[in-house]
Amino acid sequence: MKANVRLWRDVQRQRRAFSTTPRRLDTYAFIGLGQMGFQMARNLQSKLSPSDTVRLFDINKDAMEKLAQELLASKAGGAAVQLAETAADAAKDADTTITCLPEPHHVKAAYATILSSGLSPSPTSSDKKPLFIDCSTIDPSSSRQVGFSVESAGGVFVDAPMSGGVVGASAGTLTFMLGAPASLLPVLEPTLLKMGRRVLHCGAPGAGLSAKLANNYLLAINNIATAEAMNLGVKWGLDPKVLSGVINVSTGKCWPSEVNNPVPGVVDTAPAGRDYKGGFGIGLMKKDLKLAIIAAREAGARLELADRAREVYESAEGEEGCRGRDFSVVYRYLGGEE
Ligand code: NAD
């Protein structure tokens, strides 16, 4: 494995040496190569110029080496790749650092490491400030705290949580909800569009996360309500396809009823048809709901349904037949007919 990684570096060095298009060399760091980050880093690397460099880091060495292997085997070309030893090594001298980590404490820990040795000025950005793009779904106030530390150290920090799931990350079709000064859009969009197909500018730093959490709060409630309504209709003797046909041309229509219907057989491509495997994990839904509750409390916004919804996801996740599955498995938790 080590030999392959070295070989990959050599191949990249050679490619760079023979590059005929003189241009500025940009260095990117990508930190957090999990389900989403792995695919995003792969797309970013393949769409960058051979004169650029992508440094990869994850505390899970296997994820780094697996990605290096995949890039080595790929014929897609793209930027040179380096495997970093720490998050600080990855971000050192990088023009742009992208982070994609699970929860607020992971983001805080990664940025504490990065900032512990100070930030070096970006070699290529016009104002010399290194740019940090956090794509993790965390609460806006933790994000602003991290942003404040980065800015105090001389960097620029923006939030760009995404939707589209692992399928969108793999296909490069993610939607990013961006919280950043408008003046940075010309710099941020070209980078984000290498990993997605839409950038929605939501406002100042933190606003991307607020938009993401408001959306996912609605999704959490719609999903339970759809499972309840479908279960109710089936118990009343309605054919689930007939019922979803009515809902989807009526006022109850929503993404869980139309695309991710929880009753097996209603929508062929929905996770319900494959024992609720794949899709958006119930654990992630529970996490986003928790973050929305925290952020709502901080803003003094009253949420009547949040605590009950959280209990539903928590107890569903505690059941063997539901754990680790798509969040539409709430239908099974309710005792729905499959
Ligand atoms: P994941 O758990 O699969 O991956 C996270 C990765 O971060 C892991 O490889 C882990 O080893 C690494 N990591 C943890 N702490 C680290 C540190 N200090 N330094 C470096 N690496 C570290 O998570 P994911 O599914 O890729 O999700 C990432 C973020 O994207 C989450 O905030 C999630 O809510 C959000 N998100 C996920 C999806 C999805 O469908 N999976 C969709 C939209 C948004």
Side-chain angles (χ1 to χ4, degrees):
M1 179 49 122
K2 286 273 177 291
N4 281 338
V5 172
R6 232 174 285 124
L7 174 63
W8 167 248
R9 285 177 176 151
D10 291 346
V11 168
Q12 292 302 308
R13 229 176 268 128
Q14 211 171 2
R15 185 185 286 165
R16 174 172 282 191
F18 286 100
S19 171
T20 51
T21 40
R23 60 183 290 283
R24 61 184 206 165
L25 312 178
D26 284 329
T27 300
Y28 294 77
F30 203 110
I31 298 172
L33 306 169
Q35 293 207 74
M36 298 294 285
F38 188 99
Q39 304 297 342
M40 292 161 73
R42 188 178 53 72
N43 280 321
L44 176 70
Q45 182 275 340
S46 72
K47 290 178 190 163
L48 288 170
S49 152
S51 56
D52 295 327
T53 298
V54 178
R55 287 196 206 123
L56 304 173
F57 178 71
D58 194 296
I59 48 171
N60 174 3
K61 297 279 177 273
D62 288 348
M64 284 166 65
E65 298 204 342
K66 185 166 172 247
L67 182 54
Q69 284 281 19
E70 203 170 291
L71 298 176
L72 175 65
S74 147
K75 306 258 182 295
V81 174
Q82 293 174 352
L83 302 185
E85 296 291 329
T86 64
D89 284 345
K92 189 173 162 39
D93 304 329
D95 303 284
T96 305
T97 297
I98 299 165
T99 45
C100 186
L101 301 164
E103 306 219 22
H105 70 92
H106 299 104
V107 176
K108 287 177 183 168
Y111 278 90
T113 312
I114 292 169
L115 298 177
S116 62
S117 43
L119 293 182
S120 352
S122 157
T124 59
S125 92
S126 54
D127 60 3
K128 302 281 176 210
K129 286 189 174 179
L131 175 61
F132 292 82
I133 305 174
D134 184 32
C135 295
S136 322
T137 304
I138 61 171
D139 60 290
S141 117
S142 295
S143 178
R144 286 194 194 96
Q145 274 172 34
V146 174
F148 180 75
S149 313
V150 171
E151 311 253 329
S152 306
V156 176
F157 179 90
V158 303
D159 54 304
M162 63 253 164
S163 72
V166 180
V167 172
S170 172
T173 56
L174 293 170
T175 295
F176 291 96
M177 286 152 252
L178 181 62
S183 59
L184 285 178
L185 283 178
V187 180
L188 290 163
E189 273 182 345
T191 299
L192 293 172
L193 291 175
K194 289 182 173 56
M195 302 175 286
R197 73 169 160 218
R198 217 176 283 127
V199 177
L200 305 175
H201 184 223
C202 302
L209 283 162
S210 297
K212 163 88 185 172
L213 294 182
N215 178 72
N216 281 23
Y217 175 69
L218 179 58
L219 176 64
I221 304 295
N222 275 347
N223 177 59
I224 296 175
T226 303
E228 286 181 333
M230 292 301 298
N231 185 37
L232 187 63
V234 171
K235 294 271 189 300
W236 279 335
L238 285 166
D239 178 318
K241 278 198 176 181
V242 170
L243 176 56
S244 74
V246 170
I247 291 172
N248 290 333
V249 292
S250 308
T251 45
K253 174 176 154 178
C254 55
W255 188 82
S257 70
E258 198 176 28
V259 179
N260 211 54
N261 196 288
V263 183
V266 170
V267 175
D268 289 343
T269 49
R274 39 176 203 272
D275 193 22
Y276 300 96
K277 294 201 172 118
F280 186 54
I282 195 165
L284 282 176
M285 184 76 266
K286 200 182 78 182
K287 181 200 116 174
D288 288 1
L289 186 52
K290 183 181 89 186
L291 293 171
I293 293 170
I294 294 171
R297 207 174 287 139
E298 283 173 3
R302 185 167 146 191
L303 298 178
E304 286 290 336
L305 302 177
D307 289 334
R308 182 66 196 121
R310 190 173 166 182
E311 282 165 18
V312 169
Y313 287 113
E314 263 166 11
S315 54
E317 207 192 14
E319 289 194 3
E320 183 61 33
C322 300
R323 192 173 307 126
R325 288 178 161 76
D326 180 76
F327 73 138
S328 61
V329 76
V330 162
Y331 176 76
R332 174 178 284 171
Y333 168 75
L334 294 174
E337 224 169 89
E338 295 180 43

